[in-house]
């Protein structure tokens, strides 16, 4: 084949590869202020008719609803909203152009060379390969502080799930904090936070290691995370092949945990749904793997479980499966308050605090409920990082640094508070 032929072939192959990527041209995210609970109910019922993708559902009156809608459904959907006399504004005008901007930035930035302990992690969203390389490299550089373990089973796409353990090399510490990131694929700021936490624990103030051992899963859903980079930026679930529903892959891992598992509460039994619960509790290697790890390491005495999501700026705690509150609600609320206060002091970013059902919506099968209800980790929190919907899942890279820094301030304040509570000395 001559040069021209080769170029044509390369172009054709590139076109095929590119055309496979899911595009969101002309898709808008609308900000709707429903007038009544009935309005919310009616809008949610239109999901299938207009192929709606709900990014945020309102919890109280005058709260807003964020929904992505494609170009063909836009006019008929707006007509329905007009009939309901609901206030609506365009929040994101073209989802694809945000994705394109993000892609362009990523292409401009060379792949990272891991040869400097103070490497700037906050300048771009790392790919799965880069995250794995970073984790292995940090473990090699800091072998006395950090070790890397793996969940026993690989994922559907043959990825391994890493668990990083960082602890003091000399002191024997018998309390631990567990953090996982990236359970939902498209919430890219979450793994970025876990990498920042690892870096701070290794290269920041080592006194944090005198009080706790830290167990961190940087990407709990590696298949979904890679897929959201390579194919569909807005993918949420893992990549499980769902029996006969060949076109509809994936289970929402945060509906698959085995404590009060219930597809009828905030989940779906439809394999095509973004909140598909899977066929049964712990059917997935990711959720099963993490629960086994936590139970098998009970000698580590986990005092806190943190699972990091986006978006909405919320510091949530159980329960998510019911509107009832845990009997130690006041303890979780006051420790959470210390965290969001420190976070606010850092950057003036405001968080809401309360149970998932109170602040957000009820949804059963979440990892936070399991950690508290089954693994008996008292201080179990779901963190929903920035923002409040301006960019949603596509939080621009120039906000990574401030977001992970303020969140780390919150987590450190929580650790300090818990240390004081455990030792009985007020902070
Ligand atoms: O719905 C979720 O899984 C979480 N929100 S997100 O937008 N990141 O998807 C909230 C989970 C709160 N916890 C429980 N409902 N148990
Ligand atoms: Zn999430």
């Amino acid at each position: 084949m001559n040069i021209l032929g080769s170029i044509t072939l390369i172009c054709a192959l590139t076109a095929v590869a590119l055309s496979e990527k899911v595009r969101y041209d002309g898709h808008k995210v609308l900000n709707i202020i429903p007038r009544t609970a009935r309005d919310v109910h009616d809008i949610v019922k239109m999901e299938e008719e207009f192929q709606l993708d709900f990014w945020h559902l309102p919890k109280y009156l005058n709260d807003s609803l964020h929904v992505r809608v494609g170009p063909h459904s836009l006019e008929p959907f707006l007509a329905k909203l007009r009939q309901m006399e609901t206030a609506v504004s365009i929040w994101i005008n073209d989802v694809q152009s945000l994705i394109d901007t993000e892609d362009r930035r990523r292409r401009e930035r060379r792949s990272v060379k891991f040869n400097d302990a103070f490497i700037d992690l906050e300048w771009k969203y790392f790919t799965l390969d880069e995250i794995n390389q970073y984790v292995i490299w940090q473990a090699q550089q800091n072998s006395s502080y950090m070790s890397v373990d793996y969940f026993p089973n690989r994922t559907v796409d043959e990825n391994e799930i890493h668990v990083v353990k960082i602890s003091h090399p000399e002191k024997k510490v018998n309390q631990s904090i567990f953090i996982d990131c990236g359970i939902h694929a498209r919430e890219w700021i979450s793994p970025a936070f876990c990498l920042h936490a690892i870096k701070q624990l290794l290269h920041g103030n080592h006194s944090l290691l005198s009080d706790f051992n830290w167990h961190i899963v940087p990407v709990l859903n590696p298949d979904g995370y890679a897929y959201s980079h390579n194919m569909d930026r807005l993918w949420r679930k893992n990549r499980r092949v769902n029996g006969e529903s060949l076109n509809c892959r994936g289970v929402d891992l945060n509906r698959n945990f085995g404590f009060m598992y219930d597809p009828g509460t905030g989940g779906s039994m439809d394999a095509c749904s973004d909140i598909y619960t899977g066929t049964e509790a712990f059917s997935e290697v990711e959720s099963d793997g993490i629960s086994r790890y936590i139970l098998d390491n009970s000698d580590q005495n986990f005092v806190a479980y943190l699972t990091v999501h986006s978006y909405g700026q919320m510091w949530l705690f159980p329960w998510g499966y019911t509107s009832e509150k845990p009997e130690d609600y006041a303890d979780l609320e006051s420790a959470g308050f210390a965290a969001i206060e420190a976070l606010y002091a850092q950057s003036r970013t405001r968080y809401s605090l309360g149970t998932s059902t109170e602040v957000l919506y009820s949804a059963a099968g979440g990892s936070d409920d399991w950690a508290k209800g089954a693994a008996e980790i008292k201080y179990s929190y779901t963190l929903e990082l920035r923002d409040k919907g301006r960019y949603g899942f596509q939080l621009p890279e120039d906000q990574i640094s401030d977001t992970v820094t303020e969140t780390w301030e919150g987590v450190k304040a929580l650790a300090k508070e818990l240390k004081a509570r455990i030792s009985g000395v007020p902070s």
Side-chain angles (χ1 to χ4, degrees):
M1 196 184 301
N2 62 22
I3 273 229
L4 203 61
S6 316
I7 291 173
T8 317
L9 182 64
I10 290 167
C11 290
L13 288 175
T14 315
V16 170
L18 287 177
S19 69
E20 281 172 2
K21 215 167 171 174
V22 178
R23 295 190 58 88
Y24 292 93
D25 297 286
H27 284 236
K28 296 189 191 304
V29 176
L30 305 180
N31 183 54
I32 302 170
I33 317 271
R35 288 174 316 152
T36 61
R38 174 91 222 169
D39 285 357
V40 180
H41 179 255
D42 289 349
I43 295 169
V44 169
K45 269 196 4 213
M46 296 176 210
E47 180 175 11
E48 231 171 279
E49 186 182 354
F50 299 119
Q51 306 261 296
L52 304 175
D53 172 16
F54 293 103
W55 284 18
H56 174 73
L57 290 171
K59 183 62 210 167
Y60 45 85
L61 233 47
N62 293 327
D63 186 12
S64 50
L65 183 156
H66 304 160
V67 60
R68 175 176 60 79
V69 55
H72 303 299
S73 308
L74 183 67
E75 268 319 310
F77 180 54
L78 285 176
K80 290 264 189 197
L81 294 176
R82 273 194 293 272
Q83 274 171 18
M84 294 164 72
E85 296 179 22
T86 324
V88 48
S89 57
I90 293 174
W91 208 254
I92 297 177
N93 190 40
D94 181 21
V95 173
Q96 187 61 42
S97 71
L98 285 186
I99 296 174
D100 290 344
T101 310
E102 220 176 44
D103 278 352
R104 213 173 310 120
R105 280 213 206 99
R106 281 213 310 281
R107 273 199 305 274
E108 278 161 19
R109 292 168 179 194
R110 286 171 296 112
S111 128
V112 183
K113 294 264 178 306
F114 301 113
N115 50 12
D116 174 5
F118 298 98
I119 183 171
D120 184 5
L121 291 174
E122 281 93 44
W123 62 309
K124 71 166 201 163
Y125 292 110
F126 278 18
T127 63
L128 181 65
D129 285 347
E130 287 168 340
I131 292 176
N132 290 341
Q133 282 173 39
Y134 177 74
V135 165
I136 305 289
W137 174 78
Q138 279 288 26
Q140 282 163 356
Q141 301 298 307
N142 302 282
S143 54
S144 55
Y145 283 91
M146 171 170 163
S147 58
V148 184
D149 208 347
Y150 302 91
F151 287 179
N153 294 316
R154 282 178 184 256
T155 62
V156 169
D157 289 342
E158 293 291 323
N159 284 307
E160 298 206 272
I161 300 173
H162 299 90
V163 196
V164 167
K165 183 179 170 198
I166 303 177
S167 50
H168 201 286
E170 282 114 36
K171 283 192 193 146
K172 179 131 182 54
V173 173
N174 61 1
Q175 314 281 351
S176 303
I177 292 181
F178 189 98
I179 309 179
D180 66 59
C181 290
I183 190 168
H184 286 144
R186 62 191 175 185
E187 300 165 8
W188 287 6
I189 189 63
S190 166
F193 169 72
C194 268
L195 296 189
H196 180 78
I198 292 171
K199 183 172 138 187
Q200 293 306 310
L201 286 168
L202 292 173
H203 305 295
N205 184 348
H206 279 159
S207 74
L208 284 168
L209 305 178
S210 304
D211 305 322
F212 298 103
N213 306 312
W214 297 75
H215 296 246
I216 301 178
V217 177
V219 191
L220 182 55
N221 174 11
D223 295 1
Y225 187 73
Y227 191 75
S228 70
H229 274 256
N230 302 333
M231 286 301 191
D232 182 354
R233 175 64 184 86
L234 296 178
W235 191 256
R236 168 180 167 96
K237 303 185 283 182
N238 72 358
R239 293 292 298 156
R240 138 90 64 192
V241 179
N242 291 318
E244 58 272 26
S245 314
L246 274 181
N247 292 330
C248 293
R249 289 180 64 164
V251 166
D252 183 350
L253 297 172
N254 215 29
R255 301 289 180 276
N256 189 248
F257 281 72
F259 178 75
M260 300 293 166
Y261 171 86
D262 173 18
T265 305
S268 167
M269 278 155 69
D270 173 3
C272 300
S273 164
D274 250 353
I275 46 173
Y276 177 49
T277 56
T279 48
E280 59 182 333
F282 290 132
S283 54
E284 306 307 297
V285 292
E286 298 88 346
S287 45
D288 184 55
I290 194 171
S291 66
R292 281 174 199 275
Y293 181 88
I294 288 176
L295 296 179
D296 290 351
N297 287 282
S298 59
D299 62 334
Q300 289 287 307
N301 297 321
F302 293 110
V303 294
Y305 168 81
L306 309 178
T307 179
V308 184
H309 292 244
S310 73
Y311 62 93
Q313 296 172 200
M314 295 175 274
W315 200 283
L316 308 172
F317 52 89
W319 307 112
Y321 78 92
T322 171
S323 54
E324 270 162 43
K325 293 173 178 173
E327 106 258 329
D328 54 355
Y329 177 96
D331 294 343
L332 276 95
E333 191 195 31
S334 52
F337 188 72
I340 65 167
E341 221 181 16
L343 192 156
Y344 179 78
Q346 167 69 23
S347 56
R348 301 279 175 273
T349 302
R350 281 185 202 284
Y351 264 56
S352 319
L353 174 69
T355 73
S356 302
T357 305
E358 248 180 332
V359 178
L360 192 56
Y361 42 68
S362 46
S367 66
D368 49 0
D369 282 3
W370 176 85
K372 184 162 183 61
E376 297 181 357
I377 304 176
K378 178 178 168 89
Y379 292 97
S380 171
Y381 294 101
T382 292
L383 278 51
E384 298 278 0
L385 309 192
R386 287 194 199 181
D387 56 10
K388 287 186 77 68
R390 170 69 189 87
Y391 294 102
F393 305 113
Q394 286 138 300
L395 188 72
E397 280 153 322
D398 61 14
Q399 289 197 42
I400 298 177
S401 176
D402 288 350
T403 308
V404 297
T405 305
E406 73 193 13
T407 311
W408 184 238
E409 286 305 310
V411 172
K412 278 194 300 186
L414 178 75
K416 190 168 163 226
E417 180 65 33
L418 298 188
K419 183 199 165 196
R421 290 183 186 197
I422 292 162
S423 62
V425 183
S427 61

